[in-house]
Amino acid sequence: SAQGNIMIKIGFKHLLLITITILVGLSVSITSYVSYIKEEESLKASITKENTENVQQQAMLIERQLNEKALGLAKIAKLYKDLTEEGSTEEFVKLTETFASAMNLNSSAVGFESGIAYWNQTSETWPDHKFSGDVRDTPYYQLARRSLDSATTEPYFDTLDYWISIV
């Protein structure tokens, strides 16, 4: 009848409106998700690029600073190339403190061909500033003896800290 026909029309319009709303919602959601994925990839690429550039700049700065330290050490080494073991522990510790201060270093050590070495700091293996072992057995001393000029070790871990030795 006429009343049933009107309900069918209203029902059909509602159904059509609901269907269109769902399709628009899905379309917007899918578009937003695709945009999010693209933005995420772009952001990741941007962050990766910026971090890579920052790390490269820091590496160049560190390399430049290490090279400056190595040149300074080479100059000091020429001045003290004939240094003998004559002197007290205090005198050698003072010398290592002077080297560290002059070169703006955290630490400085002096080793001799006899195996004795002095350091401006102390540790378990350097009680009273004197190496408890034979410094000739250490990789940094061996590198120093093999090198014609100053050289830099690879970073290494010792007790609590990472170190780089310029020898």
Side-chain angles (χ1 to χ4, degrees):
S1 64
Q3 197 174 13
N5 200 9
I6 291 174
M7 287 184 72
I8 292 175
K9 286 184 180 179
I10 292 174
F12 178 74
K13 286 181 181 179
H14 275 43
L15 181 62
L16 185 60
L17 186 61
I18 289 170
T19 304
I20 290 172
T21 303
I22 290 172
L23 288 174
V24 168
L26 281 173
S27 175
V28 168
S29 295
I30 291 170
T31 303
S32 294
Y33 181 72
V34 169
S35 293
Y36 167 78
I37 296 297
K38 287 180 182 177
E39 223 22 69
E40 180 184 36
E41 290 172 6
S42 174
L43 184 60
K44 282 181 185 177
S46 175
I47 290 171
T48 300
K49 180 182 176 198
E50 287 179 27
N51 284 339
T52 300
E53 289 172 357
N54 187 34
V55 167
Q56 288 172 340
Q57 288 173 353
Q58 291 299 316
M60 287 173 40
L61 177 64
I62 290 169
E63 183 178 4
R64 189 171 347 134
Q65 290 174 340
L66 286 174
N67 286 337
E68 287 174 8
K69 303 290 184 192
L71 287 173
L73 179 64
K75 291 176 182 177
I76 289 174
K78 286 179 185 175
L79 294 173
Y80 289 94
K81 70 178 179 176
D82 296 324
L83 182 66
T84 63
E85 292 178 49
E86 296 173 17
S88 68
T89 297
E90 293 78 23
E91 290 172 323
F92 286 117
V93 170
K94 183 68 176 165
L95 182 63
T96 61
E97 289 171 349
T98 301
F99 290 164
S101 177
M103 302 244 335
N104 195 25
L105 298 171
N106 182 36
S107 108
S108 173
V110 175
F112 294 97
E113 290 180 355
S114 67
I116 294 173
Y118 301 92
W119 189 29
N120 68 322
Q121 299 182 25
T122 60
S123 73
E124 190 175 301
T125 56
W126 294 79
D128 299 321
H129 301 280
K130 195 170 179 181
F131 189 52
S132 62
D134 187 334
V135 76
R136 296 173 295 189
D137 295 334
T138 63
Y140 49 85
Y141 182 86
Q142 293 169 2
L143 176 62
R145 297 306 296 169
R146 285 192 312 268
S147 300
L148 299 174
D149 206 358
S150 60
T152 305
T153 65
E154 292 296 319
Y156 57 94
F157 186 77
D158 182 42
T159 315
L160 299 174
D161 296 313
Y162 282 96
W163 293 80
I164 294 175
S165 293
I166 304 170
V167 297

